[in-house]
Amino acid sequence: MDETPIPPASAFDERTAKTAVTSFRIIEALDRRERARLSDLADELDLAKGTVHKHLSTLREVNYVVKAGDEYRLGVRFLGLGTSARLNLDLYEIAYDPLEKLADATGEVASVMVPEHGYGVYVLRVSNEGRPDVDIREGESVPLTATAGGKAILSYTPEEKRERIIEQHGLPEMTDATITDREALDEELRRIRDRRLANDTGEYRSDQHCVANPIVDADDVAIGAVTVSGPADRMTEKSIEADFASLVGSTVASIESRL
């Protein structure tokens, strides 16, 4: 699940370019729907059709939206922006080879997550069996409190900043297993910091398990996390023989030494 949609332009003060807010709300709505008619977007965003049409026409003129029949979709030009943003992260280039080796060693999806705007963003996902599952895409934002990678990051985030994140985003319940009690979360984060290892046993997706280790800088502050995830049954079965903690930990050590 992506981060909370942008609120209406009226929610922002006079320092904000409200037309830009509306354009980005439309872009996000197209991303959620993949394809949509003008009337669908107007209904979802509670905007006048004329307003939506004007923004869509502008986005088409600058080649960021494509119209096919009576439907609109995002243009592939956004792919270039996403690629550039990711390549600007030193962590992406440094982590790629170690992550491929981790995916080969575990036979599952290996990922790197970084914190941004109070969410965890997957900047890289690698599988030894081809393209990883598309339910969680590269570039997708997820709650830090409901994922192994997110909890690993939070456990090595300065307390004041961690408090701001939780106060702003709360403890969203993604599944029946998600931690939604603040005291329970604090205890979980203490355990993760002591062990330098986080687990997600169906907290974000009930059918998936995940193991994560934080990537920290010279000040012992998390700048990301390495995760291994897969179907719950398979991960449980593999954990009997595979030492996921050691494999993920050695991958993080390799990345941190390069940083």
Side-chain angles (χ1 to χ4, degrees):
M1 174 180 290
D2 266 328
E3 60 190 79
T4 304
I6 299 172
S10 59
F12 294 86
D13 61 29
E14 66 279 357
R15 295 172 298 175
T16 304
K18 296 187 179 182
T19 54
V21 172
T22 300
S23 286
F24 277 105
R25 291 185 72 216
I26 292 170
I27 289 168
E28 281 195 349
L30 283 174
D31 184 46
R32 291 191 295 272
R33 287 174 171 264
E34 296 184 0
R35 294 175 183 269
R37 295 177 300 175
L38 188 152
S39 58
D40 297 328
L41 293 170
D43 289 343
E44 177 181 341
L45 300 173
D46 194 23
L47 294 169
K49 290 182 181 179
T51 299
V52 176
H53 182 264
K54 185 175 182 179
H55 284 269
L56 287 172
S57 297
T58 301
L59 289 166
R60 288 180 66 200
E61 285 294 324
V62 295
N63 300 323
Y64 279 100
V65 164
V66 174
K67 185 179 182 183
D70 64 347
E71 292 185 321
Y72 296 84
R73 66 169 174 82
L74 296 181
V76 294
R77 193 167 186 176
F78 278 105
L79 180 62
L81 294 180
T83 300
S84 295
R86 185 169 65 176
L87 289 176
N88 285 332
L89 291 170
D90 291 339
L91 185 57
Y92 172 76
E93 291 291 341
I94 290 170
Y96 196 91
D97 287 343
L99 212 64
E100 277 196 324
K101 293 176 182 177
L102 179 61
D104 287 339
T106 60
E108 301 296 345
V109 178
S111 306
V112 168
M113 174 190 288
V114 299
E116 187 171 270
H117 301 307
Y119 291 90
V121 182
Y122 289 99
V123 295
L124 179 60
R125 284 171 62 76
V126 178
S127 170
N128 70 337
E129 297 180 352
R131 186 181 181 186
D133 64 273
V134 295
D135 289 343
I136 303 177
R137 300 172 296 176
E138 291 182 344
E140 183 166 342
S141 302
V142 297
L144 289 171
T145 55
T147 55
K151 291 187 296 181
I153 290 169
L154 283 176
S155 69
Y156 279 81
T157 296
E159 183 177 0
E160 184 177 340
K161 184 176 181 179
R162 183 169 64 243
E163 289 296 320
R164 288 200 304 268
I165 291 171
I166 296 174
E167 180 179 347
Q168 180 178 359
H169 300 291
L171 302 175
E173 183 176 357
M174 311 303 298
T175 72
D176 291 341
T178 307
I179 298 174
T180 56
D181 178 78
R182 182 57 198 273
E183 290 186 6
L185 177 65
D186 289 342
E187 179 60 30
E188 172 81 342
L189 295 180
R190 282 192 290 269
R191 283 196 297 267
I192 292 169
R193 188 172 180 90
D194 289 343
R195 300 176 58 206
R196 210 181 181 90
L197 180 72
N199 290 280
D200 161 11
T201 53
E203 293 170 46
Y204 180 67
R205 287 172 46 184
S206 58
D207 61 342
Q208 296 278 307
H209 283 186
C210 183
V211 178
N213 198 297
I215 304 169
V216 300
D217 61 16
D219 296 319
D220 212 27
V221 173
I223 60 171
V226 169
T227 77
V228 170
S229 59
D233 292 344
R234 197 166 70 202
M235 288 286 287
T236 300
E237 183 179 344
K238 283 186 176 181
S239 66
I240 298 174
E241 297 182 359
D243 187 353
F244 285 119
S246 178
L247 291 169
V248 175
S250 62
T251 300
V252 168
S254 175
I255 293 171
E256 289 178 344
S257 69
R258 300 182 187 195
L259 287 171

